[in-house]
Amino acid sequence: MGRTVEGMQKPPPDLARLMMRVAKRDRAAFAELYSATSAKLYGVTLRILNQREIADEVLQEVYVKIWERAGDFDAAQGSPISWMAAIARNRALDELRRKRSFVQDSAAEVLEVPDPAILPSEAAERSEDYRRVERCLDRLEPDRRDMVRLAYLEGWSREQLSIRFDAPVATIKTWLHRSLIKLRDCLGQ
Amino acid sequence: MTERDDIDLTAAEFALGTLDADERRSVVERRRADPGLDRAIAAWENRLAPLLDEVAPVEPPSRLFAEIERRVEVSEGLGATAPGPLATATVIALERQVSRWRGLAYGSMALAAMLLVALGVVTGWSRYGVKGTETFVAVFQKDDAQPAFLMSVDLATREVTIRAVTADRKVGKAYQLWIVAEPFGPKPHSLGLLDSDLGPTRKRLSDLEPAVLQKATFGISEEPPGGSPTGQPTGRAIHGTLHQASP
């Protein structure tokens, strides 16, 4: 936020067009789409999974899925990168939750996890859309804001949040719901 | 709270990522039948996506894209017409395997719906070294037209990957993978459910010797959500078998 001037970082202008070509089974377009987006999706996946081997596998599955589902992408419903990121996050979260059902998180483990989410990385590009969401997040209490970030960016479960914020799981759920509603109303979409 | 608020909060928590594994599965199942929920999830995904600007991009290992392309070729249906590692592909109906499954503990309903077994033999996997034949592909075929599922087995890692080709996602149904192999006796043994979203499913069968794996028969059946309640296939099943490919 300390920065005053930032070029509006537009997504590469041809992502939507590339998606259309990929939907028509254009392998060259798929390769272009991959090189334009894979670092972003890998970053997102790695942040949630924290293990390169697993993130590597997940990323491969994500792109095969993107190839297979490109025809389902609807530009009226959102941007290509949001659609692709949703596929990546969902796949990463499924992997994370599946693991978690076997290995319970210990309290100590969760409490010791460093939280880069709370301090937004300065290195990443910021868009106008980002600033809108950030302004709305800033209206939440700091704890609630951190919860949303930890959940969305790091894949934290309610149980993990419950340990970290020292509140029952049901309370965490209520807080998350209230925060999400405030966020939605603030964003006005 | 109205029903609509409820749907929106479910969508919001799904997009945020805080649902547990069971809740996530149930939402994925519900959104297929509920366009309202599907739209609400898409809206939330779009609302939250700008936050991903906080995540610094990380270059993935350069080898990944070649592997993705290989999988895309497999997903495209054996790649028979495409150049690349899949040099030749043949699909053979194996009546013998059908009769083998008939001998198993199946209900007569499932028997009536018994589908043709087809098998794809793939040669020329040069990337697997001198033997060149450690990866196999089986086709699970509903009719003569197109395969429903495609399975590849890497004997080196004993990893099985199943992809839906023409199979449809079905509301209130799950696809379950079975194996008939010596160590499990004559009855099908469950290898678990396939990805409910019909994305690729990977199973590592580290307990099975490659020789056993090669001789095994695989089946995919339609089951209630959560899988077969009896521990045996209860629904319509399609089958595939792996054979040794000649290099």
Side-chain angles (χ1 to χ4, degrees):
Chain A
M1 272 173 298
R3 291 186 276 179
T4 50
V5 182
E6 287 189 37
M8 271 181 55
Q9 183 65 30
K10 285 188 185 167
D14 53 353
L15 281 190
R17 189 175 293 268
L18 284 176
M19 286 289 298
M20 279 165 62
R21 286 170 57 200
V22 171
K24 291 178 185 151
R25 297 289 177 263
D26 181 334
R27 292 278 292 273
F30 183 59
E32 271 184 70
L33 187 70
Y34 181 84
S35 74
T37 56
S38 55
K40 181 76 193 172
L41 297 197
Y42 191 58
V44 168
T45 309
L46 200 55
R47 183 95 166 236
I48 290 175
L49 292 166
N50 272 319
Q51 285 186 58
R52 281 188 179 261
E53 279 166 35
I54 303 175
D56 288 0
E57 176 56 33
V58 164
L59 192 75
Q60 292 174 40
E61 291 177 13
V62 164
Y63 275 95
V64 174
K65 203 166 223 172
I66 288 168
W67 169 261
E68 289 168 346
R69 301 257 182 92
D72 295 345
F73 168 70
D74 177 2
Q77 282 211 11
S79 72
I81 195 69
S82 300
W83 183 80
M84 294 169 74
I87 291 177
R89 285 188 69 257
N90 282 331
R91 183 64 197 83
L93 285 166
D94 285 341
E95 191 66 33
L96 190 69
R97 295 283 176 268
R98 197 178 59 184
K99 241 175 44 188
R100 286 262 156 73
S101 60
F102 294 107
V103 186
Q104 289 297 323
D105 302 295
S106 75
E109 202 181 315
V110 172
L111 291 168
E112 280 166 16
V113 168
D115 37 320
I118 294 173
L119 292 173
S121 113
E122 285 296 323
E125 304 278 0
R126 298 304 157 74
S127 64
E128 198 53 36
D129 285 342
Y130 172 79
R131 250 182 275 280
R132 284 178 52 237
V133 177
E134 190 184 40
R135 275 195 296 271
C136 290
L137 269 180
D138 284 345
R139 295 197 195 175
L140 303 176
E141 290 165 47
D143 265 13
R144 312 288 166 93
R145 190 162 65 213
D146 292 346
M147 270 179 218
V148 170
R149 280 211 167 90
L150 285 167
Y152 187 71
L153 299 172
E154 318 280 335
W156 281 36
S157 64
R158 291 182 201 129
E159 286 72 20
Q160 285 172 296
L161 294 170
S162 150
I163 295 168
R164 172 62 170 264
F165 292 92
D166 196 20
V169 171
T171 309
I172 294 288
K173 185 173 168 172
T174 307
W175 286 348
L176 287 174
H177 284 185
R178 285 188 195 145
S179 303
L180 287 162
I181 289 169
K182 278 188 189 163
L183 208 52
R184 182 192 61 197
D185 293 347
C186 171
L187 288 165
Q189 298 165 324
Chain B
M1 197 186 320
T2 68
E3 194 188 341
R4 205 173 145 206
D5 291 339
D6 205 29
I7 286 176
D8 201 50
L9 282 177
T10 303
E13 258 207 279
F14 180 81
L16 185 66
T18 42
L19 301 182
D20 66 30
D22 288 345
E23 290 169 322
R24 287 183 63 79
R25 256 196 301 278
S26 138
V27 170
V28 166
E29 191 79 20
R30 275 172 59 199
R31 75 185 288 189
R32 276 180 219 140
D34 182 348
L37 177 60
D38 189 56
R39 272 194 305 275
I41 290 171
W44 272 106
E45 285 169 346
N46 284 314
R47 254 175 225 133
L48 294 171
L51 268 185
L52 295 176
D53 284 7
E54 287 183 19
V55 181
V58 182
E59 271 313 316
S62 55
R63 65 186 159 74
L64 287 197
F65 189 61
E67 177 61 19
I68 289 167
E69 287 202 296
R70 191 183 69 79
R71 292 186 189 185
V72 159
E73 274 165 22
V74 172
S75 137
E76 285 298 282
L78 295 175
T81 56
L86 294 161
T88 60
T90 50
V91 177
I92 316 156
L94 287 171
E95 297 290 349
R96 192 170 59 79
Q97 296 300 333
V98 174
S99 25
R100 185 171 158 198
W101 277 80
R102 270 193 194 118
L104 304 174
Y106 266 86
S108 55
M109 290 295 286
L111 196 63
M114 191 67 85
L115 300 161
L116 189 66
V117 177
L119 165 76
V121 179
V122 174
T123 60
W125 292 78
S126 51
R127 63 188 287 270
Y128 287 97
V130 281
K131 283 187 181 170
T133 56
E134 291 191 307
T135 299
F136 297 82
V137 173
V139 182
F140 294 80
Q141 186 149 325
K142 275 197 279 200
D143 48 46
D144 288 337
Q146 279 184 300
F149 292 93
L150 204 57
M151 181 174 80
S152 59
V153 179
D154 184 343
L155 287 187
T157 60
R158 299 177 203 181
E159 193 180 61
V160 174
T161 307
I162 302 103
R163 281 166 215 293
V165 183
T166 61
D168 295 314
R169 287 182 272 172
K170 290 203 168 125
V171 176
K173 289 275 180 203
Y175 287 108
Q176 190 161 0
L177 180 67
W178 306 87
I179 186 171
V180 180
E182 274 164 22
F184 305 113
K187 289 187 176 176
H189 173 82
S190 174
L191 293 176
L193 298 179
L194 302 188
D195 177 13
S196 59
D197 229 355
L198 290 189
T201 306
R202 238 165 290 283
K203 310 270 181 197
R204 186 153 289 173
L205 308 176
S206 34
D207 295 343
L208 292 177
E209 290 302 320
V212 172
L213 211 50
Q214 252 174 272
K215 280 191 242 152
T217 299
F218 293 85
I220 295 172
S221 66
E222 285 180 13
E223 302 292 343
S228 163
T230 66
Q232 286 293 297
T234 60
R236 205 166 67 122
I238 49 180
H239 313 114
T241 314
L242 300 171
H243 273 220
Q244 175 75 54
S246 31

